[in-house]
PDB file of all heavy atoms in Angstrom:
ATOM      1  N   GLY A   1       0.803  -1.214   0.000  1.00  0.00           N
ATOM      2  CA  GLY A   1       0.000   0.000   0.000  1.00  0.00           C
ATOM      3  C   GLY A   1       0.827   1.252   0.000  1.00  0.00           C
ATOM      4  O   GLY A   1       1.842   1.354   0.678  1.00  0.00           O
ATOM      5  N   TYR A   2       0.414   2.243  -0.768  1.00  0.00           N
ATOM      6  CA  TYR A   2       1.139   3.504  -0.888  1.00  0.00           C
ATOM      7  C   TYR A   2       1.231   4.220   0.451  1.00  0.00           C
ATOM      8  O   TYR A   2       0.230   4.443   1.125  1.00  0.00           O
ATOM      9  CB  TYR A   2       0.452   4.403  -1.912  1.00  0.00           C
ATOM     10  CG  TYR A   2       1.069   5.767  -2.019  1.00  0.00           C
ATOM     11  CD1 TYR A   2       2.300   5.922  -2.648  1.00  0.00           C
ATOM     12  CD2 TYR A   2       0.461   6.872  -1.474  1.00  0.00           C
ATOM     13  CE1 TYR A   2       2.891   7.161  -2.738  1.00  0.00           C
ATOM     14  CE2 TYR A   2       1.049   8.119  -1.559  1.00  0.00           C
ATOM     15  CZ  TYR A   2       2.256   8.251  -2.198  1.00  0.00           C
ATOM     16  OH  TYR A   2       2.849   9.487  -2.278  1.00  0.00           O
ATOM     17  N   GLY A   3       2.432   4.592   0.858  1.00  0.00           N
ATOM     18  CA  GLY A   3       2.651   5.402   2.047  1.00  0.00           C
ATOM     19  C   GLY A   3       2.463   4.688   3.369  1.00  0.00           C
ATOM     20  O   GLY A   3       2.498   5.319   4.411  1.00  0.00           O
ATOM     21  N   ASN A   4       2.259   3.384   3.378  1.00  0.00           N
ATOM     22  CA  ASN A   4       2.048   2.680   4.637  1.00  0.00           C
ATOM     23  C   ASN A   4       3.292   2.734   5.502  1.00  0.00           C
ATOM     24  O   ASN A   4       4.411   2.729   5.020  1.00  0.00           O
ATOM     25  CB  ASN A   4       1.673   1.219   4.385  1.00  0.00           C
ATOM     26  CG  ASN A   4       0.226   1.053   4.004  1.00  0.00           C
ATOM     27  OD1 ASN A   4      -0.589   1.944   4.226  1.00  0.00           O
ATOM     28  ND2 ASN A   4      -0.112  -0.081   3.441  1.00  0.00           N
ATOM     29  N   ARG A   5       3.068   2.795   6.795  1.00  0.00           N
ATOM     30  CA  ARG A   5       4.160   2.852   7.759  1.00  0.00           C
ATOM     31  C   ARG A   5       4.293   1.511   8.458  1.00  0.00           C
ATOM     32  O   ARG A   5       3.323   0.791   8.645  1.00  0.00           O
ATOM     33  CB  ARG A   5       3.902   3.953   8.797  1.00  0.00           C
ATOM     34  CG  ARG A   5       3.825   5.342   8.181  1.00  0.00           C
ATOM     35  CD  ARG A   5       5.159   5.734   7.637  1.00  0.00           C
ATOM     36  NE  ARG A   5       5.154   7.058   7.063  1.00  0.00           N
ATOM     37  CZ  ARG A   5       5.800   7.374   5.965  1.00  0.00           C
ATOM     38  NH1 ARG A   5       6.476   6.473   5.305  1.00  0.00           N
ATOM     39  NH2 ARG A   5       5.782   8.590   5.503  1.00  0.00           N
ATOM     40  N   LEU A   6       5.500   1.198   8.867  1.00  0.00           N
ATOM     41  CA  LEU A   6       5.774  -0.056   9.544  1.00  0.00           C
ATOM     42  C   LEU A   6       5.511   0.063  11.032  1.00  0.00           C
ATOM     43  O   LEU A   6       5.587   1.139  11.604  1.00  0.00           O
ATOM     44  CB  LEU A   6       7.236  -0.447   9.337  1.00  0.00           C
ATOM     45  CG  LEU A   6       7.689  -0.686   7.908  1.00  0.00           C
ATOM     46  CD1 LEU A   6       9.185  -0.976   7.891  1.00  0.00           C
ATOM     47  CD2 LEU A   6       6.921  -1.820   7.288  1.00  0.00           C
ATOM     48  N   THR A   7       5.237  -1.079  11.640  1.00  0.00           N
ATOM     49  CA  THR A   7       5.248  -1.161  13.087  1.00  0.00           C
ATOM     50  C   THR A   7       6.714  -1.300  13.456  1.00  0.00           C
ATOM     51  O   THR A   7       7.323  -2.347  13.213  1.00  0.00           O
ATOM     52  CB  THR A   7       4.442  -2.381  13.576  1.00  0.00           C
ATOM     53  OG1 THR A   7       3.118  -2.263  13.077  1.00  0.00           O
ATOM     54  CG2 THR A   7       4.436  -2.464  15.088  1.00  0.00           C
ATOM     55  N   THR A   8       7.306  -0.226  13.988  1.00  0.00           N
ATOM     56  CA  THR A   8       8.770  -0.195  14.120  1.00  0.00           C
ATOM     57  C   THR A   8       9.296  -0.823  15.399  1.00  0.00           C
ATOM     58  O   THR A   8      10.485  -1.098  15.487  1.00  0.00           O
ATOM     59  CB  THR A   8       9.275   1.254  14.035  1.00  0.00           C
ATOM     60  OG1 THR A   8       8.635   2.027  15.049  1.00  0.00           O
ATOM     61  CG2 THR A   8       8.973   1.840  12.674  1.00  0.00           C
ATOM     62  N   ASP A   9       8.450  -1.041  16.406  1.00  0.00           N
ATOM     63  CA  ASP A   9       8.987  -1.606  17.644  1.00  0.00           C
ATOM     64  C   ASP A   9       9.403  -3.060  17.464  1.00  0.00           C
ATOM     65  O   ASP A   9      10.413  -3.486  17.988  1.00  0.00           O
ATOM     66  CB  ASP A   9       8.010  -1.436  18.812  1.00  0.00           C
ATOM     67  CG  ASP A   9       6.629  -2.005  18.523  1.00  0.00           C
ATOM     68  OD1 ASP A   9       6.337  -2.300  17.347  1.00  0.00           O
ATOM     69  OD2 ASP A   9       5.844  -2.133  19.475  1.00  0.00           O
ATOM     70  N   GLN A  10       8.643  -3.832  16.681  1.00  0.00           N
ATOM     71  CA  GLN A  10       9.004  -5.217  16.390  1.00  0.00           C
ATOM     72  C   GLN A  10       8.504  -5.582  14.997  1.00  0.00           C
ATOM     73  O   GLN A  10       7.453  -6.209  14.862  1.00  0.00           O
ATOM     74  CB  GLN A  10       8.403  -6.168  17.426  1.00  0.00           C
ATOM     75  CG  GLN A  10       9.018  -6.039  18.796  1.00  0.00           C
ATOM     76  CD  GLN A  10       8.454  -7.096  19.735  1.00  0.00           C
ATOM     77  OE1 GLN A  10       7.348  -7.578  19.569  1.00  0.00           O
ATOM     78  NE2 GLN A  10       9.243  -7.445  20.722  1.00  0.00           N
ATOM     79  N   PRO A  11       9.228  -5.183  13.944  1.00  0.00           N
ATOM     80  CA  PRO A  11       8.784  -5.541  12.596  1.00  0.00           C
ATOM     81  C   PRO A  11       8.672  -7.062  12.440  1.00  0.00           C
ATOM     82  O   PRO A  11       9.543  -7.798  12.887  1.00  0.00           O
ATOM     83  CB  PRO A  11       9.889  -4.994  11.694  1.00  0.00           C
ATOM     84  CG  PRO A  11      10.585  -3.965  12.511  1.00  0.00           C
ATOM     85  CD  PRO A  11      10.461  -4.419  13.940  1.00  0.00           C
ATOM     86  N   MET A  12       7.547  -7.511  11.875  1.00  0.00           N
ATOM     87  CA  MET A  12       7.331  -8.944  11.669  1.00  0.00           C
ATOM     88  C   MET A  12       7.163  -9.227  10.183  1.00  0.00           C
ATOM     89  O   MET A  12       6.743  -8.359   9.422  1.00  0.00           O
ATOM     90  CB  MET A  12       6.090  -9.403  12.427  1.00  0.00           C
ATOM     91  CG  MET A  12       6.237  -9.281  13.935  1.00  0.00           C
ATOM     92  SD  MET A  12       4.892 -10.057  14.832  1.00  0.00           S
ATOM     93  CE  MET A  12       3.538  -8.974  14.465  1.00  0.00           C
ATOM     94  N   LEU A  13       7.460 -10.429   9.788  1.00  0.00           N
ATOM     95  CA  LEU A  13       7.397 -10.828   8.392  1.00  0.00           C
ATOM     96  C   LEU A  13       6.022 -10.566   7.779  1.00  0.00           C
ATOM     97  O   LEU A  13       5.913 -10.220   6.609  1.00  0.00           O
ATOM     98  CB  LEU A  13       7.779 -12.299   8.259  1.00  0.00           C
ATOM     99  CG  LEU A  13       7.905 -12.841   6.843  1.00  0.00           C
ATOM    100  CD1 LEU A  13       8.940 -12.057   6.046  1.00  0.00           C
ATOM    101  CD2 LEU A  13       8.256 -14.314   6.869  1.00  0.00           C
ATOM    102  N   THR A  14       4.960 -10.683   8.568  1.00  0.00           N
ATOM    103  CA  THR A  14       3.604 -10.511   8.034  1.00  0.00           C
ATOM    104  C   THR A  14       3.314  -9.076   7.589  1.00  0.00           C
ATOM    105  O   THR A  14       2.329  -8.850   6.901  1.00  0.00           O
ATOM    106  CB  THR A  14       2.556 -10.943   9.074  1.00  0.00           C
ATOM    107  OG1 THR A  14       2.776 -10.204  10.284  1.00  0.00           O
ATOM    108  CG2 THR A  14       2.650 -12.436   9.345  1.00  0.00           C
ATOM    109  N   GLN A  15       4.138  -8.113   7.964  1.00  0.00           N
ATOM    110  CA  GLN A  15       3.949  -6.723   7.529  1.00  0.00           C
ATOM    111  C   GLN A  15       4.359  -6.512   6.079  1.00  0.00           C
ATOM    112  O   GLN A  15       3.972  -5.526   5.472  1.00  0.00           O
ATOM    113  CB  GLN A  15       4.803  -5.767   8.365  1.00  0.00           C
ATOM    114  CG  GLN A  15       4.363  -5.588   9.778  1.00  0.00           C
ATOM    115  CD  GLN A  15       5.181  -4.490  10.414  1.00  0.00           C
ATOM    116  OE1 GLN A  15       4.901  -3.313  10.224  1.00  0.00           O
ATOM    117  NE2 GLN A  15       6.197  -4.869  11.153  1.00  0.00           N
ATOM    118  N   PHE A  16       5.155  -7.397   5.532  1.00  0.00           N
ATOM    119  CA  PHE A  16       5.793  -7.151   4.249  1.00  0.00           C
ATOM    120  C   PHE A  16       5.167  -7.988   3.132  1.00  0.00           C
ATOM    121  O   PHE A  16       4.797  -9.131   3.334  1.00  0.00           O
ATOM    122  CB  PHE A  16       7.284  -7.461   4.347  1.00  0.00           C
ATOM    123  CG  PHE A  16       7.958  -6.740   5.482  1.00  0.00           C
ATOM    124  CD1 PHE A  16       8.298  -7.410   6.639  1.00  0.00           C
ATOM    125  CD2 PHE A  16       8.219  -5.384   5.398  1.00  0.00           C
ATOM    126  CE1 PHE A  16       8.909  -6.743   7.691  1.00  0.00           C
ATOM    127  CE2 PHE A  16       8.823  -4.707   6.444  1.00  0.00           C
ATOM    128  CZ  PHE A  16       9.168  -5.388   7.588  1.00  0.00           C
ATOM    129  N   ASP A  17       5.069  -7.371   1.951  1.00  0.00           N
ATOM    130  CA  ASP A  17       4.566  -8.124   0.807  1.00  0.00           C
ATOM    131  C   ASP A  17       5.327  -7.804  -0.481  1.00  0.00           C
ATOM    132  O   ASP A  17       4.905  -8.174  -1.563  1.00  0.00           O
ATOM    133  CB  ASP A  17       3.078  -7.894   0.610  1.00  0.00           C
ATOM    134  CG  ASP A  17       2.748  -6.504   0.103  1.00  0.00           C
ATOM    135  OD1 ASP A  17       3.646  -5.638   0.062  1.00  0.00           O
ATOM    136  OD2 ASP A  17       1.581  -6.269  -0.259  1.00  0.00           O
ATOM    137  N   HIS A  18       6.454  -7.099  -0.357  1.00  0.00           N
ATOM    138  CA  HIS A  18       7.200  -6.701  -1.547  1.00  0.00           C
ATOM    139  C   HIS A  18       8.659  -6.489  -1.152  1.00  0.00           C
ATOM    140  O   HIS A  18       8.959  -6.222   0.010  1.00  0.00           O
ATOM    141  CB  HIS A  18       6.609  -5.407  -2.111  1.00  0.00           C
ATOM    142  CG  HIS A  18       7.095  -5.048  -3.474  1.00  0.00           C
ATOM    143  ND1 HIS A  18       7.051  -5.903  -4.549  1.00  0.00           N
ATOM    144  CD2 HIS A  18       7.652  -3.907  -3.945  1.00  0.00           C
ATOM    145  CE1 HIS A  18       7.544  -5.302  -5.618  1.00  0.00           C
ATOM    146  NE2 HIS A  18       7.919  -4.096  -5.281  1.00  0.00           N
ATOM    147  N   CYS A  19       9.545  -6.600  -2.109  1.00  0.00           N
ATOM    148  CA  CYS A  19      10.970  -6.420  -1.831  1.00  0.00           C
ATOM    149  C   CYS A  19      11.624  -5.642  -2.963  1.00  0.00           C
ATOM    150  O   CYS A  19      11.366  -5.904  -4.140  1.00  0.00           O
ATOM    151  CB  CYS A  19      11.641  -7.786  -1.674  1.00  0.00           C
ATOM    152  SG  CYS A  19      13.380  -7.682  -1.204  1.00  0.00           S
ATOM    153  N   LEU A  20      12.425  -4.658  -2.598  1.00  0.00           N
ATOM    154  CA  LEU A  20      13.240  -3.884  -3.540  1.00  0.00           C
ATOM    155  C   LEU A  20      14.699  -4.210  -3.302  1.00  0.00           C
ATOM    156  O   LEU A  20      15.041  -4.930  -2.370  1.00  0.00           O
ATOM    157  CB  LEU A  20      13.050  -2.383  -3.311  1.00  0.00           C
ATOM    158  CG  LEU A  20      11.674  -1.784  -3.444  1.00  0.00           C
ATOM    159  CD1 LEU A  20      11.734  -0.294  -3.177  1.00  0.00           C
ATOM    160  CD2 LEU A  20      11.097  -2.048  -4.797  1.00  0.00           C
ATOM    161  N   VAL A  21      15.550  -3.600  -4.100  1.00  0.00           N
ATOM    162  CA  VAL A  21      16.993  -3.706  -3.909  1.00  0.00           C
ATOM    163  C   VAL A  21      17.530  -2.297  -3.682  1.00  0.00           C
ATOM    164  O   VAL A  21      17.185  -1.366  -4.415  1.00  0.00           O
ATOM    165  CB  VAL A  21      17.673  -4.331  -5.143  1.00  0.00           C
ATOM    166  CG1 VAL A  21      19.184  -4.311  -4.995  1.00  0.00           C
ATOM    167  CG2 VAL A  21      17.167  -5.741  -5.366  1.00  0.00           C
ATOM    168  N   ALA A  22      18.335  -2.123  -2.651  1.00  0.00           N
ATOM    169  CA  ALA A  22      19.051  -0.862  -2.412  1.00  0.00           C
ATOM    170  C   ALA A  22      20.498  -1.097  -2.814  1.00  0.00           C
ATOM    171  O   ALA A  22      21.212  -1.866  -2.175  1.00  0.00           O
ATOM    172  CB  ALA A  22      18.959  -0.451  -0.949  1.00  0.00           C
ATOM    173  N   ALA A  23      20.913  -0.462  -3.906  1.00  0.00           N
ATOM    174  CA  ALA A  23      22.286  -0.597  -4.386  1.00  0.00           C
ATOM    175  C   ALA A  23      23.039   0.681  -4.032  1.00  0.00           C
ATOM    176  O   ALA A  23      22.526   1.782  -4.204  1.00  0.00           O
ATOM    177  CB  ALA A  23      22.303  -0.829  -5.892  1.00  0.00           C
ATOM    178  N   ARG A  24      24.229   0.532  -3.537  1.00  0.00           N
ATOM    179  CA  ARG A  24      25.026   1.679  -3.109  1.00  0.00           C
ATOM    180  C   ARG A  24      25.647   2.359  -4.325  1.00  0.00           C
ATOM    181  O   ARG A  24      26.283   1.726  -5.158  1.00  0.00           O
ATOM    182  CB  ARG A  24      26.111   1.208  -2.145  1.00  0.00           C
ATOM    183  CG  ARG A  24      26.652   2.276  -1.275  1.00  0.00           C
ATOM    184  CD  ARG A  24      25.652   2.569  -0.176  1.00  0.00           C
ATOM    185  NE  ARG A  24      26.103   3.745   0.536  1.00  0.00           N
ATOM    186  CZ  ARG A  24      25.291   4.614   1.087  1.00  0.00           C
ATOM    187  NH1 ARG A  24      24.006   4.444   1.046  1.00  0.00           N
ATOM    188  NH2 ARG A  24      25.747   5.665   1.704  1.00  0.00           N
ATOM    189  N   SER A  25      25.443   3.682  -4.432  1.00  0.00           N
ATOM    190  CA  SER A  25      26.045   4.474  -5.500  1.00  0.00           C
ATOM    191  C   SER A  25      26.660   5.706  -4.862  1.00  0.00           C
ATOM    192  O   SER A  25      25.950   6.630  -4.486  1.00  0.00           O
ATOM    193  CB  SER A  25      24.988   4.882  -6.529  1.00  0.00           C
ATOM    194  OG  SER A  25      25.549   5.731  -7.501  1.00  0.00           O
ATOM    195  N   GLY A  26      27.970   5.687  -4.707  1.00  0.00           N
ATOM    196  CA  GLY A  26      28.633   6.806  -4.029  1.00  0.00           C
ATOM    197  C   GLY A  26      28.213   6.859  -2.578  1.00  0.00           C
ATOM    198  O   GLY A  26      28.382   5.904  -1.837  1.00  0.00           O
ATOM    199  N   ASP A  27      27.592   7.994  -2.166  1.00  0.00           N
ATOM    200  CA  ASP A  27      27.204   8.154  -0.768  1.00  0.00           C
ATOM    201  C   ASP A  27      25.705   7.966  -0.532  1.00  0.00           C
ATOM    202  O   ASP A  27      25.198   8.308   0.526  1.00  0.00           O
ATOM    203  CB  ASP A  27      27.648   9.524  -0.253  1.00  0.00           C
ATOM    204  CG  ASP A  27      26.978  10.670  -1.009  1.00  0.00           C
ATOM    205  OD1 ASP A  27      26.362  10.419  -2.061  1.00  0.00           O
ATOM    206  OD2 ASP A  27      27.070  11.823  -0.538  1.00  0.00           O
ATOM    207  N   HIS A  28      24.976   7.428  -1.513  1.00  0.00           N
ATOM    208  CA  HIS A  28      23.536   7.212  -1.300  1.00  0.00           C
ATOM    209  C   HIS A  28      23.085   5.899  -1.928  1.00  0.00           C
ATOM    210  O   HIS A  28      23.787   5.310  -2.746  1.00  0.00           O
ATOM    211  CB  HIS A  28      22.720   8.388  -1.859  1.00  0.00           C
ATOM    212  CG  HIS A  28      22.647   8.440  -3.346  1.00  0.00           C
ATOM    213  ND1 HIS A  28      23.697   8.835  -4.142  1.00  0.00           N
ATOM    214  CD2 HIS A  28      21.640   8.111  -4.187  1.00  0.00           C
ATOM    215  CE1 HIS A  28      23.343   8.763  -5.413  1.00  0.00           C
ATOM    216  NE2 HIS A  28      22.101   8.327  -5.472  1.00  0.00           N
ATOM    217  N   ASP A  29      21.910   5.453  -1.484  1.00  0.00           N
ATOM    218  CA  ASP A  29      21.322   4.235  -2.030  1.00  0.00           C
ATOM    219  C   ASP A  29      20.482   4.561  -3.251  1.00  0.00           C
ATOM    220  O   ASP A  29      19.770   5.566  -3.287  1.00  0.00           O
ATOM    221  CB  ASP A  29      20.427   3.546  -0.989  1.00  0.00           C
ATOM    222  CG  ASP A  29      21.219   2.803   0.060  1.00  0.00           C
ATOM    223  OD1 ASP A  29      22.335   2.352  -0.244  1.00  0.00           O
ATOM    224  OD2 ASP A  29      20.712   2.665   1.194  1.00  0.00           O
ATOM    225  N   VAL A  30      20.563   3.719  -4.241  1.00  0.00           N
ATOM    226  CA  VAL A  30      19.696   3.773  -5.415  1.00  0.00           C
ATOM    227  C   VAL A  30      18.732   2.600  -5.254  1.00  0.00           C
ATOM    228  O   VAL A  30      19.163   1.456  -5.135  1.00  0.00           O
ATOM    229  CB  VAL A  30      20.503   3.629  -6.723  1.00  0.00           C
ATOM    230  CG1 VAL A  30      19.576   3.533  -7.918  1.00  0.00           C
ATOM    231  CG2 VAL A  30      21.475   4.787  -6.880  1.00  0.00           C
TER     232      VAL A  30
END
């Protein structure tokens, strides 16, 4: 869902339904 926030105190696998890749480019992630 667009803009959804995580439960940050104890993230659980059931919160997630998609995966991206963060590739390092210089000093930031792409």
Side-chain angles (χ1 to χ4, degrees):
Y2 175 73
N4 281 342
R5 298 293 181 219
L6 299 176
T7 302
T8 57
D9 55 346
Q10 291 185 334
M12 295 189 290
L13 186 58
T14 56
Q15 290 187 81
F16 307 104
D17 71 351
H18 192 53
C19 184
L20 301 180
V21 174
R24 201 76 189 148
S25 175
D27 62 348
H28 73 286
D29 283 332
V30 174

